[in-house]
Amino acid sequence: MPHHRPPPLHLLPALDAAARWQSFAKAAQELHVTAPAISQQIRQLEDWLGVPLFHRLTRQVRLTEAGVQFAALAREVLQRYQEGHAEWLWAHARPRLRLSAAPLVGHELLLPALGEFQAQHPGLDLSLDLDLALADFDAGQVDAAIRFGAGRWRGLTAWPLIDCLGTVAGHPRVLQAHPVRGVADLRHHTLIHFRKGVNDWDLVARALGVEALPHQGNLYLDSELSAMRAAEQGLGLVICILPACQRWLDEGLLQAVAPPMPLGRGYHFVFKAQHPRSDLLKTLHGWLLGQMQRWAQGRPHPRDNATHELV
């Protein structure tokens, strides 16, 4: 017999996770419990409400009509609880912003300048998450992120930080063995990729006014930092995103074979519009904007030491 009182709140996370994954096993992984524990909590919830919430299939579960309605309510309750908890923390605890960024940006820009941020903002703690995976804003993992792209991410606000240029570069030893004096010479080289599902070499081809780039092969890696290190080992040519990768050119670790070219991409400061402390986000964005501008200034032209000509 169904209860007329609402079910216990501790049962809602299991429903929410199972509804999103359509799997008790995956919900269990997310919540760090066992699949039988998820199944038991869902059964308790169904007994409390007096209706089945899931169709149990062979390899997955699917919400019933009643389950769809109650799962939406559970998501709304949990989301508001997370937001309310965040608002309470901002009001009663020492302010802390959690910033997500790719490893390259973190190591080349953020960590060297972190002492300056702490000196300028002694009352604000900054937590860095240097991870390859995109941070989950809905789960409350981060307050803001630095992302590379065209500035459009669904459900998020993106403030520009810097428009990036790109150049093609390789290890001097590799370029000495196979000089690049034109697009056709790329047929002797491996092209290194660093973004899953995105071919940034198409951007280079468009910037050079050609339909496609000839090449000997492809090497696919998981990040800009991995790509730069692979090029440093002579494993292929890489797109140097400037100014992020300028150090490799300055120190002679890599050599540019093309002038800087616009890619139509840049770094952006990304966050959810309804953040409870937008004033602190503006503070962090302003500091990052200054760092990016300083990062881009006073650098030698990538072609200053180049001996090759990709045209």
Side-chain angles (χ1 to χ4, degrees):
M1 182 175 179
H3 293 264
H4 293 289
R5 292 182 293 108
L9 290 176
H10 75 271
L11 299 177
L12 299 188
L15 170 62
D16 177 59
R20 284 186 284 105
W21 288 107
Q22 296 188 58
S23 166
F24 289 171
K26 291 183 178 179
Q29 292 177 0
E30 177 181 316
L31 298 178
H32 305 290
V33 296
T34 64
I38 294 292
S39 180
Q40 182 181 14
Q41 291 184 36
I42 296 297
R43 184 66 69 187
Q44 290 176 1
L45 198 52
E46 290 175 325
D47 291 343
W48 188 284
L49 297 172
V51 294
L53 299 176
F54 287 93
H55 297 293
R56 273 78 169 172
L57 307 177
T58 303
R59 294 185 177 273
Q60 67 176 26
V61 293
R62 189 173 69 244
L63 287 167
T64 63
E65 183 177 350
V68 170
Q69 296 174 350
F70 200 79
L73 175 61
R75 174 97 290 267
E76 183 179 347
V77 170
L78 292 172
Q79 184 69 35
R80 183 64 194 106
Y81 182 75
Q82 290 175 346
E83 293 171 354
H85 178 250
E87 292 169 0
W88 181 88
L89 282 178
W90 284 116
H92 298 282
R94 177 182 171 88
R96 182 183 69 154
L97 286 177
R98 297 158 298 174
L99 178 66
S100 171
L104 178 69
V105 174
H107 289 284
E108 295 297 313
L109 171 66
L110 297 178
L111 291 178
L114 196 55
E116 177 184 321
F117 179 86
Q118 292 172 329
Q120 292 179 2
H121 306 283
L124 175 60
D125 291 338
L126 184 61
S127 174
L128 298 182
D129 181 7
L130 306 182
D131 199 348
L132 297 177
L134 293 181
D136 188 348
F137 283 87
D138 290 332
Q141 294 179 350
V142 296
D143 298 296
I146 299 175
R147 289 187 180 175
F148 178 78
R152 296 182 296 272
W153 289 275
R154 182 178 299 177
L156 298 174
T157 299
W159 289 345
L161 288 172
I162 190 171
D163 291 327
C164 295
L165 300 176
T167 187
V168 178
H171 192 279
R173 181 183 68 252
V174 172
L175 295 174
Q176 184 177 9
H178 297 286
V180 177
R181 298 187 177 90
V183 172
D185 293 327
L186 294 177
R187 69 185 186 277
H188 301 297
H189 294 274
T190 295
L191 304 184
I192 301 175
H193 303 254
F194 58 81
R195 288 205 294 164
K196 292 181 179 179
V198 179
N199 187 357
D200 290 307
W201 287 98
D202 287 342
L203 300 176
V204 174
R206 284 201 294 270
L208 293 173
V210 298
E211 185 173 341
L213 299 176
H215 55 284
Q216 186 180 65
N218 297 284
L219 175 61
Y220 297 93
L221 298 172
D222 60 357
S223 71
E224 293 171 273
L225 187 58
S226 298
M228 297 302 295
R229 289 176 174 169
E232 193 178 334
Q233 296 299 316
L235 298 179
L237 300 183
V238 69
I239 302 172
C240 285
I241 304 298
L242 305 174
C245 302
Q246 184 71 49
R247 179 176 65 83
W248 277 265
L249 303 176
D250 292 348
E251 297 178 3
L253 300 173
L254 297 178
Q255 191 169 14
V257 301
M261 60 194 82
L263 300 176
R265 302 290 186 272
Y267 288 112
H268 295 79
F269 183 76
V270 181
F271 61 96
K272 294 195 73 171
Q274 61 270 33
H275 193 280
R277 289 300 301 271
S278 59
D279 57 327
L280 294 181
L281 291 181
K282 290 179 181 178
T283 296
L284 181 56
H285 173 257
W287 179 78
L288 288 170
L289 196 60
Q291 291 300 318
M292 290 285 183
Q293 292 171 349
R294 187 183 309 174
W295 206 15
Q297 292 172 353
R299 295 289 193 174
H301 194 286
R303 289 292 310 285
D304 284 353
N305 300 316
T307 59
H308 303 269
E309 184 75 23
L310 178 59
V311 295

